Amino acid sequence: MNVPFLIARRYFLSKKKRNIISIISNISMVGVAVGTMALIIVLSVFNGLEDLVRSLYGKSDPDLKIAAVAGKSFEMNEQLLNRIRQVPGVAIVTEVIEDNALLRYHDRQMVVKMKGVSENFFAQSNIDSALVQGDHRLVKDGAEYALVGAGVQHELSIALDNRLSPLQLLYPRNTGKRTLSFNPETAFNEQPILAGGVFLIEQQIDDSYIFVPLNFAQTLLNYGSRRTSLEVKVSESREIDQVQEEVKKALGPKFSVFNSDEQHVSLLKAIKVEKMFVFITFAFILLIASLNIFFSLSMLVIDKRKDVAVLQAMGATSHTIRNIFLFEGAIVAQVGAITGLVLGVTICWLQQTFGLVSMGMATAVVDSYPVKMQAADIALTGLAIVFITIAVSIRPALAASRLDLRDNL
């Protein structure tokens, strides 16, 4: 039988002689509940945003991306391809040439990210599911086509499959000189291509990217056998991290191999850093809300001086007296925390299921704010509450344990 806990529970359930103690205790529980609920909701929103970023970029990102450590391109040959293909778990290897180019349509123009991909690109990419107009094929009936982002189409007012006015892509011609010729006829390589489809993935991609056949990019940029990267699709039977390590060993130190998260490490890191600072901020708010526990326990010690004297006369040690008030603070905090946890989880579940809070924008990629609950966040919140409870309860409990009131009976 845990006597300190039984007495603490009795104090919690019984009416205090001084009504102000009950008021402060109730305020403490409400403060802890609201703080816990807010912390769970905010952390779940950040988890949802992180998952949303991964899902958006997952439509165009490969499982693994191989790039040169030094320089923006490297020489491509069959020997290099075979070394990658022989790695267990490598299903598809796509050759990529990516660089900035000038896109011109009628009297409008803009700088875009041109990504030339080999024919097997759509066997590993889900970008075809992001099409809003046209066809995803880059070569149809012998003609070459480009996939353009929705933002690029809007900026240049591009019409699909317009054979009378195709897109014009321009890239600075490499003449071996350090200066660019001022004669536009000799300064740029220029090639026409038809717009075959429009994709809608994420604003940064939609506003700047176009996809073209590898041969088209190879000719325009005069890359020859050079490539800027290789994209690898990993078979479902193997773990991506394991295949990544094996590809690194096969290629050596001259190449970097990035998984999906590492391809957008700065963005995902920014979300994690923001999540950490938000957790710290709300933990401080929770600590401030829990200070009421300190005041309610301090007043309870004064209110229960006679009870403490009786317990001491019956042989209760200072350790027992201290634990009674520690348990009292823990009960107040845990009741508030459990209430807040239930409310937070319920609100997150309702948001996930019914989308109660919308994004408020017609052009948003999702209709409502994304949320995702994680057990780690709930556990971390619980640990924070335990730490805060001990911090605010220890001093009143120690003060109660140091009282010696037996002579006052």
Side-chain angles (χ1 to χ4, degrees), residues 96-331:
V96 176
I97 297 176
E98 183 176 336
D99 207 340
N100 292 327
L102 180 66
L103 176 61
R104 188 166 61 197
Y105 184 73
H106 291 307
D107 58 343
R108 298 185 179 185
Q109 61 185 24
M110 66 180 295
V111 176
V112 296
K113 276 278 189 182
M114 183 186 68
K115 185 172 182 178
V117 294
S118 53
E119 295 179 0
N120 59 2
F121 175 70
F122 295 101
Q124 68 158 305
S125 173
N126 295 322
I127 194 172
D128 52 330
S129 64
L131 283 184
V132 291
Q133 292 183 46
D135 194 335
H136 74 276
R137 289 177 293 175
L138 299 179
V139 179
K140 295 181 288 185
D141 301 326
E144 294 180 322
Y145 288 83
L147 286 181
V148 300
V152 176
Q153 184 202 30
H154 180 267
E155 181 70 20
L156 301 183
S157 301
I158 297 172
L160 298 185
D161 207 6
N162 185 356
R163 297 181 181 273
L164 297 177
S165 299
L167 305 176
Q168 299 291 334
L169 279 160
L170 294 89
Y171 186 79
R173 183 172 296 170
N174 185 5
T175 60
K177 300 178 181 179
R178 293 186 179 180
T179 58
L180 185 66
S181 172
F182 287 100
N183 184 356
E185 295 182 358
T186 60
F188 293 92
N189 292 329
E190 182 175 354
Q191 280 188 247
I193 191 170
L194 297 171
V198 179
F199 60 83
L200 183 63
I201 299 176
E202 190 271 337
Q203 185 176 4
Q204 184 178 356
I205 297 177
D206 300 338
D207 291 349
S208 59
Y209 266 83
I210 71 167
F211 292 85
V212 299
L214 182 68
N215 291 335
F216 179 91
Q218 185 177 348
T219 303
L220 178 66
L221 276 59
N222 195 25
Y223 258 48
S225 60
R226 289 182 296 142
R227 303 290 183 265
T228 57
S229 65
L230 297 174
E231 298 185 351
V232 177
K233 180 178 176 60
V234 177
S235 59
E236 296 181 358
S237 59
R238 297 294 300 272
E239 293 291 334
I240 293 178
D241 293 341
Q242 183 180 2
V243 176
Q244 181 183 13
E245 292 302 319
E246 293 179 5
V247 172
K248 284 182 179 179
K249 292 178 182 178
L251 295 179
K254 293 183 178 180
F255 293 91
S256 299
V257 184
F258 306 101
N259 59 29
S260 181
D261 285 356
E262 289 169 346
Q263 293 170 46
H264 305 286
V265 63
S266 58
L267 178 59
L268 293 174
K269 185 177 181 180
I271 293 176
K272 290 182 182 295
V273 170
E274 288 180 9
K275 179 181 175 181
M276 180 185 70
F277 277 104
V278 166
F279 175 81
I280 294 172
T281 302
F282 273 83
F284 273 110
I285 294 173
L286 196 58
L287 174 61
I288 294 171
S290 300
L291 287 178
N292 288 314
I293 297 176
F294 170 82
F295 296 118
S296 66
L297 283 182
S298 298
M299 296 186 70
L300 187 65
V301 170
I302 297 172
D303 187 52
K304 300 299 182 182
R305 289 168 66 91
K306 187 174 182 180
D307 291 2
V308 171
V310 172
L311 290 171
Q312 288 175 341
M314 295 174 63
T317 63
S318 60
H319 179 75
T320 301
I321 302 298
R322 184 194 66 192
N323 285 347
I324 291 173
F325 292 95
L326 280 178
F327 278 126
E328 173 72 11
I331 291 172

Side-chain angles (χ1 to χ4, degrees), residues 45 68 79 88 141 222 353:
V45 169
Q79 183 182 4
D141 301 326
N222 195 25
T353 307

